[in-house]
């Protein structure tokens, strides 16, 4: 196998051998390459035999399948490969028997990318990993009934580009186009979530667990949570979010269920410890699944594109009866259990989406002009297990007392239970939501720039980001598309960024790796 799409990749160069650091076997990794190659063939074939909504729906689902920590199951990846092959045969039935075949619909050999010139490999990797991340956002919008033709068709274009021999000058605009289209995709998902579940409102979420049966739901899919809440009401079962599901507490249509009680545990990489012998089932709705330990293997359930060998899967009918029965069987804790965040805090806040922040924009602008707020820091992104991520805790702890920390995604678990008080009547830490809610941060930054009649880069705003998987890649590309500069990125730079591509990012966007919290704060504050 060869895989270097996530931050934890072996030796910061690539996972090879029998398994990846994430726990994915070489067989699954190779099948995911085979699936990607089939998708490229399907996309190239669409230029001669245009597909339809079913075609792009399948492309989105298949790309989502290949994200880190989503699918560990050979059988389900094989099934997806067969579905893509059948789709190729459906939209271009004459290709196989054609006397003068062009070969466009043939499966692409991914080694042609992995073994290419390092700069070509780097740019094609940025495109591929970017659209994998974007596919997750498109999928969540799609299950809520929201589609965008421009977004759908870009998946076809980007996949096809990967299958052609192109130069750096041809690929670089497509890299930035990933960022442009991902902005539209995040806007679509933001609309889908708000119109389906209401505008998020700030809310305090307890980290303790009440006695009695409960279910933990992890991932990003808010519709799955809504369906689970509906099926468990009046059954004496409490529901707790986990990981990236935490921001669900801010949505009025989800918060109205009284048995949505709180948040269990911290970020995804701690699940093997936090779920050890848990007396409740866990439902995984998206990525962030780790190899399952025996002590809780009988209580793990998956749904959507998540799949793990021998784990029970909830299909498209969304009948959560097996999860409910397991919760009642296990019974939960006999007494309430007090739990904390990684810094000892007993509660966290969330729900500071763009609607909430912009509703007090005048107050924020006046606080900046009067000197009550000195600086804004966006500190967020993916969390992970690699040593060095305590940097983000140290960074937040050392920010000036008159600054505001905006955060999003699971990287916030490094510090979201800290009590840093308020500034200018606002909480110093404001959780804007899931990783896709980077759209909220962008909306706020643009609004502030307009209020101060300056560019985003001229605001007293610094971006300090942590990355782990492919959704972080597409968000970074969106920030670059918007021309945002001086981003600090860590804890390591992507292994798939070549020296020349990195130099381009440094020269044009002044992107830099994180160093130490103290040194980076000095640099960002101009001290």
């Amino acid at each position: 196998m060869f895989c270097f799409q996530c931050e934890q990749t072996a030796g910061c160069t690539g996972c090879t051998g029998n398994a990846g650091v994430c726990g994915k076997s070489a067989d699954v990794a190779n099948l995911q390459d085979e699936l990607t190659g089939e998708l490229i063939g399907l996309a190239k074939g669409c230029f001669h035999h245009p597909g339809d909504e079913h075609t792009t729906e399948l492309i989105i689902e298949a790309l989502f399948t290949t994200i880190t920590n989503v699918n560990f199951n050979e059988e389900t990846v094989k099934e997806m490969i067969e579905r893509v092959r059948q789709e190729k045969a459906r939209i271009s039935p004459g290709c196989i028997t054609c006397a003068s075949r062009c070969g466009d619909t043939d499966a692409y050999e991914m080694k042609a990318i992995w073994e290419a010139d390092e700069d070509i490999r780097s740019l094609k990797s940025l495109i591929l990993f970017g659209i994998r991340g974007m596919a997750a956002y498109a999928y969540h919008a799609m299950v809520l009934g929201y589609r965008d033709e421009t977004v759908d068709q870009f998946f076809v274009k980007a996949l096809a580009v990967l299958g052609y021999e192109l130069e750096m000058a041809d690929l670089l605009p497509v890299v930035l186009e990933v960022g442009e289209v991902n902005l539209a995709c995040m806007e679509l998902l933001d609309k889908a979530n708000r119109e389906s579940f209401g505008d998020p409102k700030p809310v305090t979420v307890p980290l303790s667990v009440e006695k009695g049966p409960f279910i933990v739901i992890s991932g990003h899919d808010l519709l799955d949570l809504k369906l689970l809440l509906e099926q468990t009401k009046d059954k004496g079962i409490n529901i707790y979010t986990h990981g990236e599901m935490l921001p669900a507490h801010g949505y009025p249509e989800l918060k109205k269920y009284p048995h949505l009680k709180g948040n269990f545990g911290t970020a995804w990489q701690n699940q093997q410890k936090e779920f050890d012998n848990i007396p409740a089932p866990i439902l995984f709705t998206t990525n962030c699944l780790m190899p399952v330990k025996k002590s809780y293997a009988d209580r793990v359930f998956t749904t959507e594109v998540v799949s793990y060998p021998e784990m029970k899967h909830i299909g498209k009918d969304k009948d959560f009866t097996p999860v409910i029965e397991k919760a009642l069987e296990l019974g939960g804790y006999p007494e309430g259990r007090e739990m904390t965040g990684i810094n000892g805090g007993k509660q966290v806040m969330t729900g500071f989406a763009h609607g909430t922040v912009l509703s007090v924009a005048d107050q924020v602008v006046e606080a900046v002009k009067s000197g009550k707020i000195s600086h804004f820091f966006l500190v967020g992104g993916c969390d992970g297990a690699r040593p060095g991520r305590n940097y983000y805790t140290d960074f937040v702890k050392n920010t000036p007392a008159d600054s505001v920390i905006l955060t999003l995604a699971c990287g916030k678990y490094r510090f979201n239970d800290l009590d840093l008080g308020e500034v200018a009547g606002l909480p110093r830490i404001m959780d804007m939501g899931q990783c896709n809610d980077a759209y909220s941060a962008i909306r706020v930054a643009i609004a502030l720039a307009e209020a101060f009649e300056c560019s985003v880069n001229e605001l007293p705003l610094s971006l300090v980001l942590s990355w782990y998987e492919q959704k972080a890649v597409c968000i970074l590309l969106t920030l670059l598309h918007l021309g945002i500069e001086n981003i600090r990125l860590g804890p390591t730079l992507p292994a798939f960024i070549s020296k020349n591509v990195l130099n381009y990012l440094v020269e044009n966007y002044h992107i830099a790796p994180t160093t130490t919290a103290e040194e980076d704060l000095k640099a960002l504050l101009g001290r």
Side-chain angles (χ1 to χ4, degrees):
M1 68 175 287
F2 175 76
C3 183
F4 63 170
Q5 70 174 359
C6 79
E7 189 271 334
Q8 68 182 3
T9 192
C12 292
T13 56
C15 292
T16 58
N18 295 324
V21 175
C22 68
K24 178 175 56 185
S25 71
D27 289 338
V28 171
N30 292 331
L31 284 169
Q32 289 186 348
D33 269 2
E34 186 177 342
L35 173 58
T36 305
E38 293 286 358
L39 286 172
I40 292 172
L42 173 59
K44 290 172 71 176
C46 285
F47 287 111
H48 304 293
H49 309 277
D52 51 27
E53 278 199 351
H54 179 269
T55 309
T56 50
E57 181 178 334
L58 178 60
I59 287 173
I60 289 167
E61 185 177 350
L63 283 170
F64 193 1
T65 297
T66 63
I67 288 180
T68 304
N69 293 79
V70 169
N71 194 312
F72 296 77
N73 193 334
E74 289 182 48
E75 296 309 312
T76 50
V77 180
K78 288 177 181 177
E79 290 170 6
M80 184 65 71
I81 291 170
E82 184 56 32
R83 287 175 60 192
V84 175
R85 288 172 177 164
Q86 290 176 3
E87 184 66 10
K88 285 196 294 184
R90 183 182 75 88
I91 67 170
S92 52
C95 281
I96 295 177
T97 57
C98 179
S100 54
R101 299 184 71 249
C102 66
D104 272 356
T105 60
D106 291 349
Y108 183 76
E109 178 51 66
M110 292 300 291
K111 284 186 178 180
I113 294 179
W114 309 143
E115 297 176 358
D117 166 84
E118 66 172 359
D119 294 328
I120 300 299
R121 181 178 78 162
S122 183
L123 293 174
K124 285 193 173 184
S125 294
L126 278 167
I127 294 169
L128 174 60
F129 303 154
I131 62 173
R132 283 178 174 175
M134 187 169 71
Y137 301 147
Y139 185 92
H140 295 315
M142 186 169 66
V143 297
L144 291 172
Y146 290 72
R147 300 285 291 268
D148 183 299
E149 181 66 18
T150 300
V151 173
D152 283 359
Q153 289 307 310
F154 182 71
F155 286 114
V156 177
K157 172 186 175 179
L159 281 166
V161 162
L162 298 174
Y164 292 111
E165 299 298 319
L166 299 171
E167 300 298 322
M168 287 185 67
D170 303 308
L171 293 169
L172 190 55
V174 183
V175 171
L176 295 178
E177 192 177 357
V178 174
E180 179 182 10
V181 178
N182 183 60
L183 179 61
C185 189
M186 289 195 297
E187 181 179 12
L188 177 70
L189 180 54
D190 176 77
K191 178 182 179 182
N193 285 337
R194 287 187 297 105
E195 292 185 355
S196 300
F197 309 113
D199 283 315
K201 305 296 181 186
V203 61
T204 299
V205 182
L207 301 180
S208 57
V209 179
E210 297 180 14
K211 69 176 182 179
F214 67 97
I215 296 170
V216 175
I217 180 168
S218 186
H220 304 70
D221 201 291
L222 300 178
L223 179 59
D224 282 332
L225 173 57
K226 174 70 180 297
L227 296 172
L228 180 65
L229 288 167
E230 272 295 313
Q231 293 182 38
T232 51
K233 64 183 181 182
D234 303 322
K235 292 186 182 296
I237 299 173
N238 291 328
I239 306 299
Y240 293 85
T241 56
H242 172 263
E244 281 273 62
M245 197 63 81
L246 166 63
H249 291 272
Y251 288 92
E253 287 301 307
L254 300 175
K255 186 62 178 174
K256 71 181 183 182
Y257 292 90
H259 60 301
L260 178 60
K261 290 293 185 178
N263 192 68
F264 185 97
T266 54
W268 66 273
Q269 76 278 358
N270 300 321
Q271 65 189 255
Q272 290 180 326
K273 177 181 178 180
E274 293 175 346
F275 292 160
D276 190 32
N277 289 305
I278 181 176
I282 312 105
L283 175 64
F284 285 91
T285 67
T286 61
N287 58 313
C288 305
L289 172 66
M290 291 183 71
V292 181
K293 292 178 62 176
K294 289 183 179 180
S295 66
Y296 60 90
D298 66 325
R299 57 208 67 180
V300 169
F301 296 83
T302 60
T303 192
E304 300 293 350
V305 299
V306 188
S307 186
Y308 195 89
E310 299 180 7
M311 298 298 107
K312 301 178 186 69
H313 189 78
I314 306 299
K316 292 185 182 296
D317 62 355
K318 294 299 179 182
D319 181 358
F320 292 118
T321 299
V323 189
I324 293 168
E325 291 175 345
K326 179 60 71 170
L328 294 172
E329 172 194 331
L330 293 170
Y333 295 113
E335 300 294 336
R337 175 165 295 200
E338 188 174 273
M339 303 176 73
T340 69
I342 67 169
N343 300 290
K346 298 179 181 179
Q347 61 187 27
V348 294
M349 290 192 74
T350 190
F352 292 93
H354 58 85
T356 293
V357 178
L358 293 180
S359 71
V360 294
D362 292 344
Q363 178 184 340
V364 172
V365 170
E366 178 56 34
V368 174
K369 288 181 176 179
S370 66
K372 293 179 180 178
I373 294 178
S374 65
H375 207 86
F376 295 89
F377 296 96
L378 175 59
V379 186
C382 311
D383 205 359
R386 188 187 295 276
R389 287 182 178 266
N390 286 339
Y391 162 94
Y392 298 94
T393 312
D394 296 338
F395 186 96
V396 168
K397 284 181 176 180
N398 285 286
T399 53
D402 59 357
S403 65
V404 172
I405 296 97
L406 305 175
T407 190
L408 46 82
C410 60
K412 62 176 167 268
Y413 281 103
R414 293 282 169 174
F415 52 81
N416 68 338
D417 64 321
L418 292 171
D419 183 3
L420 298 186
E422 296 185 346
V423 57
L426 300 169
R428 284 200 55 217
I429 297 179
M430 290 192 276
D431 175 18
M432 307 191 85
Q434 297 178 341
C435 53
N436 55 283
D437 292 311
Y439 177 74
S440 272
I442 291 168
R443 281 281 303 274
V444 168
I446 291 173
L448 289 176
E450 291 174 351
F452 286 106
E453 298 181 343
C454 66
S455 71
V456 171
N457 291 319
E458 293 173 310
L459 288 171
L461 169 68
S462 300
L463 279 69
V464 183
L465 306 180
S466 55
W467 83 282
Y468 173 73
E469 40 89 332
Q470 297 76 65
K471 285 179 282 185
V473 175
C474 65
I475 291 172
L476 177 63
L477 295 180
T478 293
L479 296 174
L480 299 183
H481 156 71
L482 293 169
I484 295 176
E485 301 178 359
N486 298 309
I487 298 170
R488 293 296 195 276
L489 182 65
T492 62
L493 293 178
F496 51 83
I497 298 292
S498 69
K499 185 178 296 185
N500 286 332
V501 172
L502 178 59
N503 287 340
Y504 174 87
L505 297 177
V506 171
E507 291 171 7
N508 290 274
Y509 301 97
H510 308 106
I511 195 168
T514 54
T515 58
T516 67
E518 293 77 10
E519 290 302 314
D520 286 348
L521 270 169
K522 287 179 183 178
L524 294 170
L525 294 172
R527 294 176 178 174

